[in-house]
Amino acid sequence: MNETQEWKRAPRYIRITLWILAVVLMLTSAVYQRLTGPTYRLRGEYELAGQVHKYRLIRSAYSTHDTLTSVPDPGSGVTGTLFYKRYPTNDEFTTIPLELENGRLGARLPVQPPAGKLEYYFVLNAVTGDVRIPGSTGENVIIRFKGYTPLYVLLPHVFMMFFAVLFGMRAALAAAFDPGGMRSLAWTTLVLMTVGGMVLGPIVQNTAFGAYWTGFPLGYDLTDNKTLLMWIVWVFACWFIGTRPRQREGLSRLSVILATVVMMVVYLIPHSLRGSELDYSELDQGVPAEEAIGVG
């Protein structure tokens, strides 16, 4: 196959179909990331007096104010208590009576420094007996606090990271079915990942937890390390394919497909898993909160 043939684009209907498939894959990835991970609301339900009540318990909050957490009010004069303590510690649980507001029973968790965590659960007191939320004994909700990230930083970061996924998947589809457009898509993926992940990502991390980078070689933050791995793989793929077709174009196409596979595997790891965590034992010893942050 000569160079002119290598750069020949696939028919328009095929390219449109590949874009639709890439969008579906990107949206699937976005939904998966939205519904998994330790910071998204914990979904569940409880039954009382023959009625099922669904709840979503908050697991992420800002270090600017106390945070309201609540469950649906089942009515019939049911009361309840919020139990919470610092996580991970051997503290005794503190209790707060639940108050009824807008059809929900809730209480406010005290604000914590960035990367600080609390574990909590509810107990509802009804005539028919007590109901624990979450239902399993010993299962508590973990909520992590963070600093406020301005939207003008956060939104471009999120936008570029998900569009990096979109263009990366489209690049892999091009490598398989439309190699003429593969290179521009691959290089666009790298640019989006560089700006969104390696530039804006550390800025988001710093505003939220007070450190620009807590991944390799400085730490073990999984989100930072995932971003670094994806970026390195795409740097290698783009370096390998260059800007012009090679004699062994099959290897170039394979490198882009492999880079996308790595990216998809990385996105299967829930967001914020093994992220920044405040060490309360150090905090209790007088270490400043910003210096007592590790990985949990």
Side-chain angles (χ1 to χ4, degrees):
M1 182 178 291
N2 59 44
E3 183 171 309
T4 301
Q5 290 174 316
E6 289 169 345
W7 280 94
K8 185 178 179 180
R9 300 301 307 273
R12 183 186 182 91
Y13 75 91
I14 290 181
R15 283 180 279 159
I16 293 175
T17 301
L18 295 180
W19 272 115
I20 293 174
L21 181 56
V23 169
V24 170
L25 291 172
M26 187 272 281
L27 292 177
T28 301
S29 173
V31 171
Y32 175 81
Q33 286 288 309
R34 180 68 181 86
L35 297 179
T36 61
T39 60
Y40 297 115
R41 291 177 182 263
L42 178 67
R43 298 170 181 262
E45 59 184 34
Y46 71 92
E47 184 176 351
L48 196 60
Q51 292 188 333
V52 175
H53 304 272
K54 296 183 179 181
Y55 60 78
R56 295 195 304 164
L57 301 180
I58 190 169
R59 295 195 288 180
S60 180
Y62 289 113
S63 295
T64 54
H65 54 270
D66 295 346
T67 298
L68 176 66
T69 181
S70 62
V71 295
D73 174 32
S76 302
V78 172
T79 60
T81 305
L82 172 68
F83 295 77
Y84 77 88
K85 71 174 184 177
R86 301 182 303 174
Y87 178 89
T89 69
N90 294 319
D91 295 353
E92 296 293 329
F93 278 98
T94 298
T95 61
I96 306 177
L98 300 183
E99 296 183 358
L100 179 61
E101 182 179 344
N102 297 325
R104 300 183 67 84
L105 289 170
R108 295 188 179 277
L109 294 165
V111 64
Q112 301 295 301
K117 296 180 180 180
L118 297 175
E119 60 176 308
Y120 71 93
Y121 66 94
F122 297 90
V123 173
L124 301 184
N125 310 119
V127 175
T128 55
D130 293 344
V131 176
R132 190 186 195 278
I133 304 173
S136 301
T137 301
E139 179 187 2
N140 301 323
V141 185
I142 309 299
I143 181 172
R144 182 173 67 164
F145 291 77
K146 61 184 178 181
Y148 176 75
T149 300
L151 289 180
Y152 63 80
V153 174
L154 182 60
L155 291 182
H157 163 68
V158 174
F159 175 89
M160 290 187 181
M161 291 306 295
F162 276 111
F163 269 80
V165 174
L166 172 62
F167 276 86
M169 291 180 175
R170 181 62 178 84
L173 293 172
F177 305 106
D178 180 28
M182 176 186 71
R183 281 175 172 78
S184 61
L185 292 164
W187 279 99
T188 300
T189 301
L190 178 59
V191 170
L192 288 169
M193 195 167 295
T194 300
V195 179
M198 303 305 293
V199 177
L200 294 178
I203 296 175
V204 171
Q205 171 80 359
N206 184 62
T207 57
F209 303 114
Y212 285 102
W213 187 261
T214 54
F216 179 85
L218 302 179
Y220 303 97
D221 186 287
L222 190 56
T223 298
D224 284 353
N225 286 336
K226 289 192 305 179
T227 304
L228 178 62
L229 175 61
M230 288 192 297
W231 183 74
I232 290 175
V233 168
W234 278 101
V235 166
F236 174 81
C238 288
W239 168 80
F240 187 79
I241 66 176
T243 58
R244 304 287 295 177
R246 294 176 176 270
Q247 185 175 1
R248 296 184 177 180
E249 189 66 354
L251 292 178
S252 295
R253 296 166 68 179
L254 180 61
S255 68
V256 172
I257 292 174
L258 290 177
T260 303
V261 169
V262 170
M263 181 174 65
M264 293 176 68
V265 171
V266 166
Y267 267 79
L268 289 176
I269 302 173
H271 186 64
S272 297
L273 192 66
R274 283 192 55 81
S276 299
E277 180 179 278
L278 182 65
D279 188 334
Y280 282 105
S281 63
E282 292 188 10
L283 188 68
D284 291 342
Q285 295 173 14
V287 178
E290 61 273 14
E291 299 177 13
I293 297 178
V295 176

